[in-house]
Structures are given as structure tokens and as C-alpha cells.
Amino acid sequence: SLPAKLINGGIAGLIGVTCVFPIDLAKTRLQNQQNGQRMYTSLSDCLVKTIRSEGYFGMYRGAAVNLTLVTPEKAIKLAANDFFRHHLSKDGKKLTLLKEMLAGCGAGTCQVIVTTPMEMLKIQLQDAGRLAAQKKLMAAQAQISSSPAAEPAVERRPTATQITRELLRSKGIAGLYKGLGATLLRDVPFSIVYFPLFANLNKLGQKDPNVKAPFYVSFLSGCVAGSTAAVAVNPCDVIKTRLQSLQRGVNEDTYSGILDCTKKIWQREGPTAFFKGAYCRALVIAPLFGIAQVVYFVGIGEFLLDMLPKHRA
């Protein structure tokens, strides 16, 4: 049932985000730093420096936005994929690969309603620490080359609520949907690759077509399909991250759109820049979707709904 699918998607999203969010924060910071302004050299370097400068909970900046919106996002994606698969199948016959890809395309298109504003707000909060560290480093270098100055005032970082209010005030609802085209460019191909690949990998573990695959098969299938799709669309994710970042570091490029961003990255940073944070993204997506598929196929939502009448009685 749809309510059960929504519960499954929500639970999966909450568990997954909590487990992998620090890696996602490192991915955003690695993708946003440009040549000549490199604060971090790797995933581990980013996490260590983040803990030193911002504390343990600095790794979870922006997590509240994700935890709030990941439930409807994952619910929409998983439920939409099932909806399209159901309506594309005829008389219960096995879906062709093309129809599986079309179902994934529909799911990816539907989810951007929630994904775009969620990613928009999350990126501002995640990247604030990198920008603050960059300013602090430049201020320290300036003091060394000149006479000592007074300690700079502590910079207050904006909250998700403040960013939302400012965007709505200045640009309206469109402000929260900046980078919508790039989000579609990432999420639609991701779903086209992920859902058919997962479905076919999961079938390999089914002894009987009418019996669900063991949970570990669903988990491994979700991990493999998720990491494969994540790396495949990483160039689109880099472009989306750059376009959705409202604040820039010193001497960092600004972009007017997808084509302008692609051109500048290619010319000034080289083709390898499109795969910045790819391994971080694979590490994020693999367990996230592995957990999602286990929760979804185990049917926790169905179990919880079955318990409701008993509690009422």
C-alpha cells in the first residue's frame, strides 16, 4: 500500500542519512573547492580538519535539513518507481529493460520536487565551514605579513530557516529551486541506471520469482547499483553543487548556468574535476540505498500499519 511505501522510504532515509552524512559533507566541500583555493586534500583530511575547527557535530552541519526532507524525498522516489513499474507492466509480464528505465526516469523526475530545495539548503550549511576556514587562513597569512591586528569578530553562520526566509524574500519560491535543471540532469540518469540495475541484481538472489530475495541480497544489490549510478552521474553532481552554492571563496568562479559551469570547470580545472568527490559519493550512496532497499523489501511499513489496529483495540 502507498502508506506503507511512504513509511518504508522515510525510515530508510532517516537511518541512511544519519550513518553517512559526514561523508556527504566532505563530498560537498571537496567538490566546491577550486584550483588555488584547496583547503582539503582528501576525504580523511577534510573530516579531520572539520573536527578540529568545528568539533564533532561540525560534520553534521546541514543534517537537520536532510533529516527533515529525506523522508518525503525517499518516499516519493521509491513509491513513484513502483507506481510506474506497475502501470508499465502488462498482465503481470516481466518489464523490458526500456520500461524499467522509463520507470526510473519517472521516479527521478518526481523526486526533484523535494530534492532541489533540500540540496540547496544543505549545501549552504555544509560549505559554510570551508569558507570560514578559508577566510581564517587568509587573515592569518595577512597578519604574518603585516603588523598584528585585533582578533576578528566571530562570524555567525546562518541557519536553514534564515537562508530560506532570505531566498523567499529576495527571489520568491524560485530561489529555493536554483539548480533545478542540474538536479534533473543528475537524478533522472541516476534513477535510469539505479532502478533497473538493482532490480536485475536482486533477481539473481531469488530462488523463486514469487518469493522475496534474502535481505542481504537486497542490501548488496542496493549498494552495488547505488555506487555504480552515483559514479556515473558524478559530473552532473559537481555541476549541481557549484550552481547551488550561493557563497564563493576568494577568487573562486561564479556561474550563470549549466553550460557556463561546464565550460569553466573544463577549461580551468580539467576533465578530472568532474569526478571530484566521486568516491565520497559512492561511499554515501551505496549504504544509503542498500539500507533503503532492505527496509523497503523487509516491509517495516506494512508491519507498523498492521500493528495500529491492535493498539487501537
Side-chain angles (χ1 to χ4, degrees):
S1 64
L2 182 59
K5 291 174 184 176
L6 297 179
I7 293 171
N8 286 332
I11 292 173
L14 291 173
I15 295 172
V17 167
T18 303
C19 293
V20 301
F21 193 84
I23 304 174
D24 186 65
L25 178 137
K27 177 210 69 117
T28 298
R29 294 187 177 185
L30 288 170
Q31 286 182 340
N32 259 337
Q33 63 181 8
Q34 300 178 21
N35 290 343
Q37 301 294 335
R38 290 171 62 86
M39 294 294 301
Y40 315 107
T41 57
S42 64
L43 166 64
S44 57
D45 181 58
C46 180
L47 293 179
V48 168
K49 287 180 178 176
T50 298
I51 293 173
R52 285 177 180 172
S53 61
E54 303 170 55
Y56 174 79
F57 291 105
M59 295 190 298
Y60 283 88
R61 281 192 59 80
V65 175
N66 250 35
L67 291 172
T68 302
L69 296 178
V70 75
T71 298
E73 187 223 18
K74 288 292 177 287
I76 289 171
K77 173 179 275 192
L78 294 172
N81 182 64
D82 265 12
F83 174 82
F84 288 116
R85 287 178 70 90
H86 173 74
H87 284 278
L88 286 169
S89 63
K90 293 182 179 180
D91 302 324
K93 292 181 180 179
K94 181 181 176 181
L95 285 175
T96 63
L97 179 60
L98 177 61
K99 287 186 177 180
E100 287 183 333
M101 292 173 72
L102 286 173
C105 177
T109 304
C110 290
Q111 79 169 80
V112 297
I113 297 170
V114 176
T115 304
T116 305
M118 179 182 76
E119 293 272 315
M120 175 75 176
L121 295 172
K122 182 194 72 171
I123 285 171
Q124 314 316 314
L125 298 171
Q126 286 181 329
D127 205 38
R130 180 186 71 90
L131 297 174
Q134 188 185 88
K135 289 179 181 178
K136 187 176 180 180
L137 179 63
M138 294 187 70
Q141 291 173 345
Q143 284 185 17
I144 291 173
S145 60
S146 61
S147 58
E151 285 291 325
V154 177
E155 184 178 353
R156 291 187 178 182
R157 296 173 191 171
T159 64
T161 304
Q162 290 171 338
I163 295 170
T164 302
R165 286 175 179 171
E166 178 59 27
L167 285 171
L168 290 174
R169 185 190 65 78
S170 60
K171 299 182 180 179
I173 193 67
L176 290 173
Y177 281 87
K178 183 180 180 182
L180 174 62
T183 306
L184 280 168
L185 196 63
R186 181 196 69 173
D187 288 350
V188 171
F190 177 92
S191 295
I192 289 174
V193 174
Y194 172 78
F195 283 110
L197 182 57
F198 168 79
N200 286 283
L201 289 174
N202 197 55
K203 284 176 187 176
L204 297 176
Q206 289 180 279
K207 295 180 180 179
D208 187 326
N210 298 318
V211 179
K212 290 180 180 178
F215 81 93
Y216 63 87
V217 173
S218 293
F219 176 77
L220 291 174
S221 298
C223 288
V224 173
S227 58
T228 302
V231 173
V233 302
N234 197 75
C236 301
D237 189 56
V238 172
I239 294 168
K240 183 199 72 67
T241 300
R242 296 280 182 94
L243 289 175
Q244 288 188 320
S245 298
L246 299 176
Q247 302 295 325
R248 301 287 178 191
V250 179
N251 299 324
E252 289 185 346
D253 291 326
T254 57
Y255 312 102
S256 59
I258 295 174
L259 292 177
D260 180 57
C261 182
T262 304
K263 182 180 177 181
K264 285 180 179 177
I265 292 174
W266 183 278
Q267 291 178 342
R268 300 176 187 181
E269 301 175 59
T272 57
F274 290 105
F275 287 92
K276 283 183 177 181
Y279 64 96
C280 295
R281 184 162 162 75
L283 288 174
V284 168
I285 296 296
L288 189 63
F289 278 83
I291 292 168
Q293 292 298 353
V294 169
V295 172
Y296 201 63
F297 279 86
V298 166
I300 294 176
E302 289 87 342
F303 173 77
L304 292 175
L305 288 175
D306 287 342
M307 292 292 289
L308 286 177
K310 295 178 184 179
H311 286 298
R312 287 172 184 169

